[in-house]
Amino acid sequence: MQKLDFSLEYKKIETKNDGLPAVIVAAGSSTRMKGTDKRFVPLVGVPILARTMAAFQNCSAISEIAVVTSEDKIADVKRLAAAYAIDKLSFVAVGGGSREESVKNGLLLFKDKYEKALVHDGARPLVPTEVIERVAEALGEFNSVSCAVPLKDTIKRVDKNGISVETPIRSEYVAAQTPQGVNISMFLSSAEDLDLSQFTDDTAILERLGEKTKIVEGDYRNIKITNPEDIDLATKLIEKEL
């Protein structure tokens, strides 16, 4: 497994001629962070969103980046990109009322130039280069791609009273991560007729059209920062690799 590069030194990576755009979604309200805006929380001295953008900056499969964020943070994102030399950043756009509405806003920026794009959570700053590359490569053949890892825990389906009604076979399930890859026009077409607030997964939008989602290998280090405990875990992961 490739060692993660946490140096965050600016790298001028030669982009592949058929490179793909990436939409980084960073418009959430950070409600579980106890009043702290996780986008700008430092991890070993570097803000979370800066690490996330750098992961795509330093991947040759990525040609352009768009960050979708809240309106009041647009200037802050631009300053962050300038400070860390994220020169692949082409757009900083305003997000929507839900995650998938924000994804839609980001994809609209690229619809006239690209057929397909990657979508990534801004709160997943430790995504390894090889995971981004695997999704990008699979997207050359499929219209819907997600990286994922096998479940470690047994899962149960419960009813509204908290009673277990099913214990699925764990080996048949995976935990989806990002980046995910989508056909832009297909996503936008499907999204027109859906209540996007009901969705938390980009590929699920295309699955409504009957598209099959290709699953590629993710990475357990590719955690999503959602609460203060995740900050501690991410810090330990970074320090372990230094």
Side-chain angles (χ1 to χ4, degrees):
M1 184 177 292
Q2 177 180 324
K3 184 176 180 179
L4 292 175
D5 180 5
F6 292 119
S7 64
L8 213 67
E9 293 180 5
Y10 169 59
K11 301 177 182 179
K12 186 62 177 179
I13 302 294
E14 184 176 350
T15 301
K16 297 176 182 177
N17 292 332
D18 55 348
L20 294 166
V23 175
I24 297 177
V25 183
S29 59
S30 301
T31 55
R32 286 173 283 185
M33 287 295 293
K34 301 178 180 179
T36 301
D37 189 335
K38 64 185 177 184
R39 294 167 287 193
F40 302 97
V41 170
L43 287 177
V44 192
V46 179
I48 286 174
L49 185 54
R51 288 188 177 276
T52 303
M53 289 191 291
F56 289 82
Q57 170 74 30
N58 297 334
C59 179
S60 63
I62 301 303
S63 55
E64 295 184 63
I65 299 170
V67 173
V68 184
T69 191
S70 52
E71 186 172 7
D72 63 321
K73 295 298 181 182
I74 287 179
D76 291 333
V77 172
K78 290 180 178 179
R79 282 193 290 268
L80 201 63
Y84 289 94
I86 310 297
D87 69 351
K88 289 183 182 179
L89 182 67
S90 299
F91 304 99
V92 183
V94 178
S98 69
R99 184 189 187 282
E100 294 308 318
E101 288 169 344
S102 294
V103 171
K104 178 181 177 181
N105 289 356
L107 292 176
L108 283 168
L109 301 170
F110 293 123
K111 70 180 181 66
D112 294 328
K113 186 176 180 181
Y114 296 93
E115 179 185 6
K116 299 175 182 180
L118 271 62
V119 181
H120 188 65
D121 296 321
R124 290 186 188 269
L126 307 188
V127 57
T129 299
E130 67 266 28
V131 173
I132 301 173
E133 291 175 340
R134 279 196 287 268
V135 174
E137 182 177 1
L139 197 54
E141 181 178 353
F142 296 88
N143 288 312
S144 181
V145 180
S146 179
C147 59
V149 293
L151 292 176
K152 293 183 177 181
D153 299 318
T154 296
I155 61 173
K156 289 183 176 290
R157 185 167 65 89
V158 299
D159 64 18
K160 61 182 180 181
N161 297 314
I163 304 300
S164 174
V165 296
E166 182 186 9
T167 303
I169 299 173
R170 184 174 60 187
S171 61
E172 296 180 352
Y173 291 81
V174 294
Q177 299 179 329
T178 66
Q180 297 188 342
V182 299
N183 180 297
I184 297 174
S185 63
M186 292 176 66
F187 181 101
L188 295 176
S189 176
S190 180
E192 288 182 359
D193 301 322
L194 298 174
D195 178 1
L196 295 180
S197 66
Q198 302 301 308
F199 291 82
T200 60
D201 182 276
D202 312 316
T203 59
I205 306 296
L206 276 77
E207 289 166 359
R208 292 294 295 268
L209 292 176
E211 282 296 315
K212 303 296 184 183
T213 297
K214 173 64 175 176
I215 302 297
V216 300
E217 181 183 359
D219 195 299
Y220 287 111
R221 297 168 297 180
N222 185 20
I223 64 171
K224 185 177 182 181
I225 307 296
T226 58
N227 55 54
E229 290 74 22
D230 294 329
I231 297 290
D232 295 336
L233 175 57
T235 298
K236 291 177 182 177
L237 288 170
I238 294 171
E239 292 175 341
K240 182 179 179 180
E241 298 290 343
L242 292 177

